[in-house]
Amino acid sequence: MTYQKMDDEWFSRIRAGDEEAITAFVKEYEPEIRAEVRRRFRRRDLRRVLDSGDICQSVFKNFFASASLDRFEFDTPEALVKLLLRMVRNKVVDQVRRQQADRRDVRRTESLCPTQHQVVLRSGEPSPEELATFAELRTRLRSRLSTLERRIAELRVAGCSWNAVAEQLGEAPDAVRKRLCRAMDRVSREL
């Protein structure tokens, strides 16, 4: 990939916090950074809890904070890219360690995603108390979902596939699935 020349004036503007220069910088280097993050997110359980956008923002935040303190010197744009990619690798390693710590190991958490949720069937009808508890829980859950999240859940309950839901909302199927998974995880923690 060919990068814009990182001249002293542009970098000085970035160090000074010039929004226009920062925006141009992000636009220039974000695709490479995001691609590196995605290459490093191979495991599905990590992709469920970590987002490439979050890692990119964190890398840029750290870069701009260090740049404002004049901690970097670059001879070429390629040297800058190497630094940014090294920052990505370090950030991903840190996040993986954090997510695999004993207290929150993503490898052993159960997802509340509709596609992965297992229903335990038992003989007999649920008691009236169980039905009332379930109805109250469903109402509380729905009230904590955004309008879009509620719409996705309703379409899935109605039997729509992820592709059908995504088509109706004009989004990618994985994006829709992840949005609902994260919403369900968030609401379950709140409840």
Side-chain angles (χ1 to χ4, degrees):
M1 185 169 194
T2 306
Y3 296 100
Q4 177 176 324
K5 174 98 173 87
M6 184 64 158
D7 61 11
D8 290 336
E9 179 204 344
W10 192 36
F11 198 61
S12 295
R13 289 175 49 207
I14 288 171
R15 275 195 307 261
D18 181 322
E19 285 190 34
E20 188 176 302
I22 290 172
T23 301
F25 181 87
V26 169
K27 198 176 285 187
E28 178 89 11
Y29 293 99
E30 183 180 28
E32 184 77 23
I33 291 172
R34 194 175 288 267
E36 180 68 15
V37 172
R38 287 187 181 132
R39 278 192 293 272
R40 301 216 167 256
F41 277 4
R42 291 191 178 99
R43 290 189 24 218
R44 187 177 188 163
D45 57 345
L46 291 174
R47 287 192 312 254
R48 186 173 59 81
V49 294
L50 298 173
D51 182 54
S52 63
D54 295 337
I55 299 291
C56 286
Q57 285 179 0
S58 180
V59 166
F60 280 126
K61 181 183 134 223
N62 291 346
F63 174 80
F64 292 131
S66 295
S68 69
L69 299 173
D70 206 19
R71 291 186 180 164
F72 300 128
E73 286 186 31
F74 309 106
D75 296 337
T76 64
E78 289 75 20
L80 171 61
V81 170
K82 282 184 181 181
L83 170 71
L84 291 170
L85 295 182
R86 188 169 59 243
M87 290 173 77
V88 166
R89 286 190 292 275
N90 293 340
K91 185 62 67 176
V92 170
V93 167
D94 289 346
Q95 286 297 319
V96 167
R97 278 190 198 131
R98 183 171 182 252
Q99 293 301 326
Q100 290 179 349
D102 285 339
R103 68 184 184 281
R104 67 159 54 117
D105 192 344
V106 296
R107 295 171 294 187
R108 62 187 175 99
T109 58
E110 292 182 30
S111 173
L112 295 177
C113 296
T115 57
Q116 297 172 353
H117 186 69
Q118 295 180 342
V119 178
V120 178
L121 299 177
R122 59 187 173 147
S123 62
E125 295 289 319
S127 71
E129 182 180 331
E130 289 173 322
L131 289 173
T133 301
F134 181 71
E136 180 185 346
L137 185 60
R138 187 175 56 226
T139 302
R140 290 176 63 196
L141 183 137
R142 286 179 46 85
S143 71
R144 285 182 163 76
L145 294 176
S146 70
T147 304
L148 180 58
E149 293 164 346
R150 198 172 312 121
R151 177 76 177 131
I152 294 169
E154 288 168 354
L155 289 169
R156 287 293 294 161
V157 168
C160 294
S161 69
W162 288 115
N163 289 336
V165 173
E167 191 175 300
Q168 285 190 26
L169 300 176
E171 293 186 27
D174 278 345
V176 172
R177 180 184 54 78
K178 285 180 182 180
R179 183 189 313 260
L180 184 60
C181 288
R182 288 182 181 133
M184 296 300 289
D185 287 345
R186 183 193 74 237
V187 169
S188 68
R189 282 190 307 271
E190 292 172 4
L191 293 176

